[in-house]
Amino acid sequence: METEGVIPEFISEVKGFLAEEEGLRLFELALEACSLGPCLEIGSFCGKSTIYLGVACKIKGRTLFTIDHHRGSEEQQPGQLYFDADLLDSRTGQIDSLQCFRETIQKAELEEVVVPMITRSHVAARDWTTPLSLVFIDGGHSYETVVTDYKCWYPHLLPGGFLVFHDIFLDPAEGGQAPYEVYKLALASKRFEEIPMTKTLGVLRCCGPMVVKK
Ligand code: MG
Protein backbone atom coordinates (compact mmCIF):
# COMPACT_ATOMS: atom_id res chain seq x y z
CA MET A 1 0.00 0.00 0.00
CA GLU A 2 1.18 3.52 -0.80
CA THR A 3 1.95 5.24 2.49
CA GLU A 4 2.54 8.75 1.14
CA GLY A 5 -0.03 11.08 2.65
CA VAL A 6 -1.33 8.31 4.92
CA ILE A 7 1.24 8.72 7.70
CA PRO A 8 1.18 12.35 8.91
CA GLU A 9 4.32 14.32 8.06
CA PHE A 10 4.81 15.64 11.59
CA ILE A 11 5.74 12.11 12.69
CA SER A 12 9.41 12.95 12.10
CA GLU A 13 9.16 15.51 14.92
CA VAL A 14 7.53 13.15 17.43
CA LYS A 15 9.93 12.07 20.18
CA GLY A 16 10.83 8.40 20.02
CA PHE A 17 13.37 5.79 19.10
CA LEU A 18 11.72 4.18 16.09
CA ALA A 19 13.33 4.35 12.65
CA GLU A 20 11.02 5.31 9.76
CA GLU A 21 11.61 1.95 8.08
CA GLU A 22 10.55 0.16 11.28
CA GLY A 23 7.47 2.36 11.55
CA LEU A 24 6.40 1.58 8.01
CA ARG A 25 6.82 -2.14 8.70
CA LEU A 26 4.61 -1.79 11.78
CA PHE A 27 2.03 -0.05 9.62
CA GLU A 28 2.08 -2.88 7.07
CA LEU A 29 1.90 -5.61 9.72
CA ALA A 30 -1.03 -3.90 11.45
CA LEU A 31 -2.83 -3.44 8.15
CA GLU A 32 -2.59 -7.20 7.56
CA ALA A 33 -3.34 -8.16 11.16
CA CYS A 34 -6.45 -5.99 11.40
CA SER A 35 -8.47 -8.48 9.37
CA LEU A 36 -8.24 -10.79 12.41
CA GLY A 37 -8.84 -8.44 15.33
CA PRO A 38 -7.57 -5.42 17.29
CA CYS A 39 -3.89 -4.60 17.95
CA LEU A 40 -2.06 -3.87 21.20
CA GLU A 41 1.10 -1.91 21.89
CA ILE A 42 3.21 -1.94 25.06
CA GLY A 43 5.23 1.27 25.39
CA SER A 44 3.22 4.16 23.94
CA PHE A 45 5.74 6.83 25.07
CA CYS A 46 5.08 9.96 22.95
CA GLY A 47 3.01 8.14 20.33
CA LYS A 48 5.39 7.70 17.40
CA SER A 49 4.82 3.96 16.87
CA THR A 50 1.22 4.48 17.98
CA ILE A 51 0.68 6.58 14.85
CA TYR A 52 2.03 3.91 12.50
CA LEU A 53 -0.10 1.20 14.10
CA GLY A 54 -3.07 3.50 14.69
CA VAL A 55 -3.33 4.76 11.11
CA ALA A 56 -3.49 1.14 9.89
CA CYS A 57 -6.20 0.37 12.47
CA LYS A 58 -8.13 3.48 11.43
CA ILE A 59 -8.08 2.42 7.77
CA LYS A 60 -9.46 -1.00 8.74
CA GLY A 61 -11.96 0.28 11.32
CA ARG A 62 -10.13 -1.47 14.19
CA THR A 63 -9.01 -0.45 17.67
CA LEU A 64 -5.44 -0.05 18.87
CA PHE A 65 -4.94 -0.54 22.61
CA THR A 66 -1.74 0.97 23.92
CA ILE A 67 -0.20 0.59 27.37
CA ASP A 68 2.23 2.86 29.20
CA HIS A 69 2.50 4.08 32.78
CA HIS A 70 4.07 7.19 31.23
CA ARG A 71 6.63 7.47 34.04
CA GLY A 72 9.49 6.65 31.68
CA SER A 73 11.61 3.52 31.46
CA GLU A 74 14.68 2.84 33.60
CA GLU A 75 17.00 4.60 31.17
CA GLN A 76 14.78 7.71 30.90
CA GLN A 77 15.02 8.68 34.56
CA PRO A 78 16.95 11.82 35.63
CA GLY A 79 20.68 11.24 35.27
CA GLN A 80 20.22 8.27 32.90
CA LEU A 81 21.25 8.00 29.25
CA TYR A 82 17.87 8.75 27.65
CA PHE A 83 16.66 11.37 30.14
CA ASP A 84 14.73 14.16 28.36
CA ALA A 85 14.17 17.30 30.45
CA ASP A 86 11.12 18.24 28.29
CA LEU A 87 9.28 15.29 29.83
CA LEU A 88 10.01 16.12 33.43
CA ASP A 89 6.94 17.22 35.40
CA SER A 90 8.31 20.06 37.53
CA ARG A 91 5.49 19.70 40.08
CA THR A 92 6.27 16.07 40.89
CA GLY A 93 9.89 15.73 39.76
CA GLN A 94 8.79 12.64 37.83
CA ILE A 95 8.86 11.83 34.13
CA ASP A 96 5.44 12.26 32.53
CA SER A 97 5.11 11.47 28.82
CA LEU A 98 1.30 11.38 28.90
CA GLN A 99 0.73 14.99 27.84
CA CYS A 100 3.12 14.59 24.92
CA PHE A 101 1.34 11.34 23.95
CA ARG A 102 -2.12 12.98 24.06
CA GLU A 103 -0.99 15.84 21.87
CA THR A 104 0.40 13.37 19.30
CA ILE A 105 -2.79 11.31 19.17
CA GLN A 106 -5.00 14.38 18.88
CA LYS A 107 -2.83 15.90 16.16
CA ALA A 108 -2.84 12.59 14.24
CA GLU A 109 -6.66 12.43 14.53
CA LEU A 110 -6.53 9.03 16.19
CA GLU A 111 -8.63 9.70 19.28
CA GLU A 112 -11.43 7.49 17.93
CA VAL A 113 -9.00 4.66 17.22
CA VAL A 114 -6.46 4.52 20.04
CA VAL A 115 -7.40 3.38 23.54
CA PRO A 116 -4.63 4.34 25.99
CA MET A 117 -4.21 2.34 29.17
CA ILE A 118 -2.21 4.34 31.71
CA THR A 119 -0.81 1.48 33.74
CA ARG A 120 1.77 -1.27 33.79
CA SER A 121 1.30 -4.08 31.29
CA HIS A 122 0.76 -6.85 33.87
CA VAL A 123 -2.06 -4.81 35.47
CA ALA A 124 -3.77 -4.26 32.12
CA ALA A 125 -3.43 -7.98 31.39
CA ARG A 126 -4.99 -9.18 34.64
CA ASP A 127 -8.61 -9.30 33.44
CA TRP A 128 -7.96 -9.11 29.71
CA THR A 129 -10.04 -11.43 27.50
CA THR A 130 -10.06 -9.84 24.02
CA PRO A 131 -8.20 -11.84 21.35
CA LEU A 132 -5.51 -9.79 19.59
CA SER A 133 -4.09 -9.81 16.08
CA LEU A 134 -0.83 -8.02 16.86
CA VAL A 135 1.15 -7.43 20.05
CA PHE A 136 4.04 -4.97 19.85
CA ILE A 137 6.46 -5.20 22.79
CA ASP A 138 8.45 -2.00 23.29
CA GLY A 139 8.08 -1.13 26.97
CA GLY A 140 10.85 -1.36 29.57
CA HIS A 141 13.94 -3.13 28.28
CA SER A 142 15.09 -5.06 31.37
CA TYR A 143 14.78 -8.85 31.02
CA GLU A 144 12.22 -9.03 33.82
CA THR A 145 10.00 -6.42 32.15
CA VAL A 146 10.22 -7.86 28.63
CA VAL A 147 9.58 -11.42 29.78
CA THR A 148 6.58 -10.24 31.84
CA ASP A 149 5.17 -8.40 28.82
CA TYR A 150 5.64 -11.53 26.71
CA LYS A 151 4.06 -13.90 29.25
CA CYS A 152 1.13 -11.57 29.92
CA TRP A 153 0.19 -11.01 26.30
CA TYR A 154 1.22 -13.87 23.99
CA PRO A 155 -1.68 -16.06 25.23
CA HIS A 156 -4.14 -13.56 23.72
CA LEU A 157 -2.66 -13.71 20.21
CA LEU A 158 -4.87 -15.15 17.51
CA PRO A 159 -3.43 -17.82 15.19
CA GLY A 160 -1.88 -15.92 12.26
CA GLY A 161 -1.35 -12.85 14.44
CA PHE A 162 2.00 -11.11 14.96
CA LEU A 163 4.24 -10.84 17.99
CA VAL A 164 6.61 -7.94 17.34
CA PHE A 165 9.63 -6.88 19.41
CA HIS A 166 11.52 -3.62 19.12
CA ASP A 167 15.27 -3.37 19.80
CA ILE A 168 16.39 -6.83 18.72
CA PHE A 169 20.17 -6.67 18.50
CA LEU A 170 21.78 -9.81 17.14
CA ASP A 171 25.19 -8.40 18.11
CA PRO A 172 25.49 -7.62 21.85
CA ALA A 173 27.86 -4.75 20.96
CA GLU A 174 24.91 -3.00 19.28
CA GLY A 175 22.56 -2.93 22.25
CA GLY A 176 20.87 -4.61 25.22
CA GLN A 177 20.02 -8.28 24.83
CA ALA A 178 16.81 -8.62 26.89
CA PRO A 179 14.35 -8.27 23.97
CA TYR A 180 16.41 -10.74 21.92
CA GLU A 181 16.52 -13.22 24.81
CA VAL A 182 12.72 -13.13 25.07
CA TYR A 183 12.36 -13.30 21.28
CA LYS A 184 14.41 -16.52 21.36
CA LEU A 185 12.28 -17.81 24.23
CA ALA A 186 9.16 -17.24 22.12
CA LEU A 187 10.72 -19.06 19.16
CA ALA A 188 11.73 -22.00 21.38
CA SER A 189 8.09 -22.42 22.41
CA LYS A 190 7.37 -23.56 18.82
CA ARG A 191 4.27 -21.41 18.95
CA PHE A 192 5.77 -18.85 16.55
CA GLU A 193 7.56 -18.76 13.25
CA GLU A 194 10.21 -16.22 12.39
CA ILE A 195 9.52 -13.84 9.54
CA PRO A 196 11.99 -11.26 8.22
CA MET A 197 13.19 -8.48 10.52
CA THR A 198 13.23 -4.78 9.66
CA LYS A 199 16.28 -3.15 11.25
CA THR A 200 15.79 -3.96 14.97
CA LEU A 201 12.15 -4.98 14.62
CA GLY A 202 11.83 -8.72 15.24
CA VAL A 203 8.65 -10.24 13.84
CA LEU A 204 7.10 -13.59 14.78
CA ARG A 205 3.89 -15.05 13.43
CA CYS A 206 1.69 -17.03 15.80
CA CYS A 207 1.18 -20.52 14.40
CA GLY A 208 -0.15 -22.25 17.50
CA PRO A 209 -3.72 -22.34 18.76
CA MET A 210 -4.79 -19.61 21.19
CA VAL A 211 -3.77 -20.27 24.77
CA VAL A 212 -6.67 -18.25 26.15
CA LYS A 213 -9.83 -19.40 24.41
CA LYS A 214 -12.17 -16.83 22.90
MG1 MG B 1 12.22 0.72 21.45
Side-chain angles (χ1 to χ4, degrees), residues 110-179:
L110 289 172
E111 287 177 306
E112 297 288 320
V113 177
V114 175
V115 178
M117 294 189 272
I118 319 300
T119 186
R120 292 181 185 274
S121 124
H122 72 273
V123 180
R126 192 182 295 142
D127 280 317
W128 190 268
T129 54
T130 303
L132 298 166
S133 65
L134 182 151
V135 171
F136 177 43
I137 298 183
D138 190 26
H141 285 42
S142 71
Y143 181 81
E144 204 49 47
T145 305
V146 187
V147 85
T148 300
D149 292 341
Y150 165 67
K151 286 181 177 171
C152 283
W153 293 100
Y154 88 79
H156 299 287
L157 262 176
L158 288 155
F162 299 110
L163 179 63
V164 188
F165 293 86
H166 196 218
D167 303 310
I168 297 294
F169 298 105
L170 305 183
D171 177 359
E174 302 279 312
Q177 292 293 288

Side-chain angles (χ1 to χ4, degrees), residues 42-64:
I42 302 157
S44 335
F45 191 45
C46 293
K48 199 182 192 88
S49 48
T50 317
I51 292 182
Y52 286 105
L53 294 167
V55 168
C57 289
K58 188 176 184 177
I59 290 168
K60 297 288 186 180
R62 286 287 189 189
T63 301
L64 170 64

